[in-house]
């Protein structure tokens, strides 16, 4: 990149700030985007699809106009993910972005922004690192790929967030497609299945829906726990499952909880799930974490010294997604300092990150305290169930997470069952409203009947059991 280009991008940034206003510029562009002028187009680096989608939908015209103004030409704008921007945003900025999204009635639609529109399958089995914690799940996945008729149906994979369930499921689909191109497969999330079912019901198109799902050789449903407490969808899914099973075709599912722990799943579904093969993915051992980091480093073509790999793997244990994020952050930090990656810089780069992700332990302590107190399970908290007790417990867990960790709203949401940042914001507001009305006790149900307590007393009790 030469000096003129840098100057030009500075000017374009200024022009964008002028057009969208300083405040919005600060929230959406600063530390969130990086412009690069190529021969006949401008690349806008974005930290993730969500932010990218928002910017594309709201500011594409401003960006175009700013480019035209500065360069005198109308240039194409291309959005790409830029790892150097990962983790560059401060908590306050993440919160402001989340607030904006929450207020926007159309925010949900934007989630499907996807620069790789050609395919929605990002992962492959051949770069899945196998270790003790995921060995069984991987072998089962391989069996589904190799054998058109396995002796188990369904294959049910469960495990915590960011441990590779989606990777395995998408990997199965791609490998099946490559090995046996004639196989008809369907990959959907539990949420998509539910939405399509409801839409079909409303539009009187159940026949179409049914034939689509029942005439498939391999049905893969991710995040099936989304069906918790959705009775009609569960029933429909049971019929779908039976039809596929009768035809000796395969069903594969993933969930963040084992079948029995998914709240309000009908007994017949639970039994169906248990009649197949249920495998768990555990958090990976040190050795696997190192192997994953080495592989990622090779993929991005960077040499990472072994002590740095070990430092990252040692400090980030709970979630592979975070592990990868940390590696990218170290790489970006070192490039900015124009140095080779080394341990001193890695420690510096991750100081903040480790302080922020360290509370994962803390978060599980909070969850443990809250679920024990209310007599529910962590899976209930992660579900979308809205019974009085569970939603109270969930709100309180989120409120305490916000109070006792430095995590942002989106981060808390992600760790508590992949919830939207909006859910966390609303939960915190709800608890604050209780606190503002101290005379009105909060109520919940237990197996021994209804209980009530002043919110402050309740929080005090929980906080003392967390800190013990
Ligand atoms: P989950 O669906 O369980 O929440 P994902 O499948 O989305 O988790 O995995 C999170 C990230 O970690 C992805 O980028 C995925 O590629 C990576 N990952 C998880 N497990 C492995 C593994 N065994 N080998 C390589 N990458 C992995
Ligand atoms: Mg997943």
């Amino acid at each position: 990149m030469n000096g003129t280009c840098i100057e030009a991008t500075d000017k374009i940034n200024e022009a964008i700030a002028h057009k969208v206003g300083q405040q919005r510029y600060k929230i959406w562009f600063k530390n969130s985007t990086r412009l690069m002028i190529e021969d006949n187009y401008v690349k806008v680096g974005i930290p993730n699809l969500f932010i990218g989608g928002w910017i594309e939908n709201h500011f594409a015209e401003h960006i175009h106009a700013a480019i035209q103004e500065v360069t005198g030409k109308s240039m194409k704008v291309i959005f790409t993910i830029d790892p150097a921007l990962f983790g560059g945003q401060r908590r306050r900025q993440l919160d402001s972005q989340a607030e904006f999204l929450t207020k926007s009635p159309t925010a949900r639609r934007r989630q499907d922004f996807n620069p790789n529109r050609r395919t929605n399958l990002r992962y492959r089995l051949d770069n899945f690192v196998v270790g003790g914690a995921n060995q069984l799940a991987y072998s089962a996945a391989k069996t589904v790929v190799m054998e058109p008729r396995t002796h188990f149906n369904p294959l049910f994979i469960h495990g915590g967030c960011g441990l590779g369930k989606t990777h395995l499921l998408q990997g199965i689909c791609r490998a099946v497609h490559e090995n046996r191109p004639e196989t008809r497969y369907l990959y959907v999330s539990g949420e998509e299945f539910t939405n399509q079912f409801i839409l079909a019901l409303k539009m009187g198109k159940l026949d179409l829906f049914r034939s689509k799902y029942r005439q498939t050789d391999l049905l893969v449903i991710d995040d099936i726990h989304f069906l918790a407490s959705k009775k009609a969808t569960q029933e429909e899914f049971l019929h779908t499952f039976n039809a596929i099973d009768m035809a000796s075709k395969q069903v594969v599912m993933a969930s963040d909880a084992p079948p029995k722990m998914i709240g309000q799943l009908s007994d017949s579904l639970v039994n169906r799930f248990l009649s197949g093969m249920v495998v768990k993915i555990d958090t990976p051992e040190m050795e696997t974490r190192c192997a994953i980091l080495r592989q990622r480093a090779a993929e991005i073509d960077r040499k990472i010294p072994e002590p740095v790999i070990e430092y990252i793997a040692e400090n980030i244990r709970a979630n592979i997604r975070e592990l990868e994020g940390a590696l990218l952050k170290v790489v970006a930090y070192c490039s900015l300092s124009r140095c080779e990656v080394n341990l001193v810089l890695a420690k510096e780069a991750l100081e903040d990150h480790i302080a922020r992700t360290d509370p994962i332990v803390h978060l599980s302590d909070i969850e443990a305290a809250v679920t024990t107190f209310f007599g529910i399970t962590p899976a209930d908290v992660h579900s979308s169930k809205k019974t009085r007790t569970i939603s109270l417990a969930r709100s309180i867990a989120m409120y305490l997470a916000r109070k006792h960790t430095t995590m942002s709203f989106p981060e808390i949401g992600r760790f508590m069952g992949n919830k939207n940042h909006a859910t966390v914001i609303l939960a915190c507001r709800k608890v604050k409203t209780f606190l503002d009305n101290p005379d009105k006790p909060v109520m919940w149900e237990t197996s021994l009947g209804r209980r009530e307590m002043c919110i402050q007393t309740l929080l005090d009790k929980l906080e003392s059991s967390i800190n013990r």
Side-chain angles (χ1 to χ4, degrees):
M1 214 194 299
N2 60 34
T4 0
C5 272
I6 295 178
E7 232 174 63
T9 52
D10 282 348
K11 283 195 182 139
I12 296 173
N13 273 319
E14 261 172 41
I16 294 175
H18 185 70
K19 289 184 193 305
V20 304
Q22 284 301 337
Q23 198 207 356
R24 284 200 288 175
Y25 181 82
K26 253 199 206 149
I27 292 174
W28 294 103
F29 290 86
K30 202 174 162 198
N31 305 327
S32 281
T33 57
R34 189 162 68 147
L35 300 184
M36 273 196 274
I37 302 185
E38 303 290 344
D39 280 348
N40 49 6
Y41 63 94
V42 176
K43 227 162 57 179
V44 181
I46 48 172
N48 58 50
L49 299 177
F50 202 79
I51 304 288
W54 177 274
I55 294 177
E56 188 189 29
N57 280 292
H58 283 82
F59 305 122
E61 276 173 31
H62 300 99
I63 299 174
H64 271 288
I67 295 170
Q68 168 111 37
E69 209 172 282
V70 174
T71 64
K73 293 188 277 192
S74 157
M75 289 168 97
K76 214 165 132 181
V77 175
I78 289 174
F79 288 85
T80 61
I81 297 226
D82 184 342
L85 296 166
F86 291 172
Q89 301 159 295
R90 301 268 130 240
R91 161 160 134 147
R92 190 181 297 166
Q93 187 178 17
L94 292 173
D95 286 346
S96 310
Q97 291 176 342
E99 284 279 2
F100 254 90
L101 294 167
T102 321
K103 283 186 205 141
S104 160
T106 52
R108 287 191 67 77
R109 252 193 291 132
R110 239 157 261 122
Q111 287 177 348
D112 53 35
F113 166 87
N114 176 3
N116 307 322
R117 257 181 240 276
R118 267 165 291 138
T119 166
N120 62 352
L121 299 179
R122 301 165 52 204
Y123 300 119
R124 316 178 53 85
L125 277 189
D126 46 24
N127 61 6
F128 188 82
V129 176
V130 186
N134 58 29
Q135 171 86 55
L136 218 56
Y138 177 78
S139 311
K142 275 299 241 193
T143 310
V144 171
V145 172
M146 303 317 290
E147 296 170 19
R149 277 185 201 165
T150 62
H151 45 278
F152 51 82
N153 205 20
L155 166 60
F156 189 103
I157 300 175
H158 68 94
C161 210
L163 295 185
K165 299 180 301 289
T166 297
H167 191 136
L168 273 182
L169 259 50
Q170 296 196 356
I172 291 177
C173 292
R174 277 180 79 143
V176 163
H177 181 65
E178 281 158 17
N179 288 357
R180 294 181 266 127
E182 72 288 353
T183 307
R184 291 164 299 179
Y185 72 87
L186 262 181
Y187 172 88
V188 286
S189 65
E191 182 169 12
E192 281 161 346
F193 183 87
T194 306
N195 292 343
Q196 289 174 14
F197 170 61
I198 292 168
L199 193 69
L201 206 61
K202 268 194 195 148
M203 313 274 284
K205 296 241 160 74
L206 266 186
D207 289 353
L208 261 173
F209 174 87
R210 288 186 174 144
S211 65
K212 170 175 159 187
Y213 278 97
R214 293 177 191 188
Q215 285 167 15
T216 181
D217 302 316
L218 170 64
L219 175 62
V220 179
I221 304 201
D222 205 349
D223 295 328
I224 190 81
H225 52 264
F226 190 83
L227 264 58
S229 52
K230 300 193 174 55
K231 253 206 181 122
T233 313
Q234 284 182 23
E235 209 159 288
E236 182 64 27
F237 179 69
L238 186 62
H239 292 312
T240 309
F241 178 83
N242 286 339
I244 297 179
D245 192 41
M246 287 275 279
S248 308
K249 313 288 191 194
Q250 183 74 40
V251 176
V252 179
M253 284 172 279
S255 151
D256 70 1
K260 278 193 176 156
M261 297 292 275
I262 304 179
Q264 313 218 2
L265 206 55
S266 75
D267 286 346
S268 32
L269 263 191
V270 172
N271 289 334
R272 264 325 209 159
F273 292 170
L274 292 175
S275 71
M277 167 120 130
V278 179
V279 285
K280 179 170 183 219
I281 303 191
D282 280 306
T283 45
E285 307 81 356
M286 178 71 185
E287 206 180 308
T288 314
R289 298 200 296 275
C290 288
I292 291 173
L293 287 170
R294 280 185 214 112
Q295 182 183 285
R296 276 291 176 277
E299 278 167 15
I300 55 172
D301 210 12
R302 293 297 289 253
K303 269 220 142 18
I304 311 289
E306 204 49 26
V308 174
I309 298 269
E310 280 167 20
Y311 175 74
I312 301 176
E314 195 55 65
N315 283 285
I316 295 175
R317 298 159 183 235
N319 179 321
I320 297 173
R321 199 173 288 128
E322 300 298 318
L323 195 67
E324 294 178 340
L327 175 72
L328 292 171
K329 188 157 182 189
V330 167
V331 169
Y333 188 81
C334 296
S335 334
L336 284 178
S337 326
R338 297 185 194 286
C339 289
E340 292 287 317
V341 174
N342 64 50
L343 190 58
V344 176
L345 279 182
K347 284 186 177 169
E348 237 173 79
L350 293 183
E351 207 173 20
D352 212 26
H353 193 103
I354 288 172
R356 272 154 58 119
T357 43
D358 195 31
I360 296 176
V361 188
H362 208 121
L363 206 64
S364 57
D365 292 345
I366 292 175
E367 272 190 358
V370 172
T371 51
T372 313
F373 183 85
F374 286 103
I376 59 174
T377 67
D380 288 328
V381 171
H382 293 187
S383 73
S384 50
K385 279 187 265 176
K386 294 199 173 60
T387 64
R388 183 203 288 258
T389 309
I390 293 174
S391 55
L392 177 67
R394 187 184 298 125
S395 300
I396 289 180
M398 287 177 170
Y399 172 85
L400 290 174
R402 181 69 181 174
K403 185 169 165 197
H404 292 281
T405 75
T406 51
M407 295 166 95
S408 68
F409 291 123
E411 281 167 335
I412 295 171
R414 214 163 58 227
F415 285 113
M416 292 203 175
N418 242 340
K419 298 257 170 341
N420 200 301
H421 47 79
T423 312
V424 186
I425 294 174
L426 287 177
C428 293
R429 263 189 222 147
K430 183 168 141 188
V431 175
K432 283 195 192 115
T433 316
F434 285 137
L435 283 167
D436 288 341
N437 298 289
D439 298 335
K440 212 172 132 223
V442 288
M443 271 185 277
W444 70 96
E445 312 289 338
T446 71
S447 49
L448 302 172
R450 179 167 292 189
R451 289 197 54 185
E452 57 173 63
M453 197 180 278
C454 153
I455 183 78
Q456 194 59 58
T457 319
L458 177 55
L459 291 177
D460 289 348
K461 262 183 193 293
L462 289 168
E463 284 172 330
S464 69
S465 72
I466 295 164
N467 294 328
R468 197 172 297 145

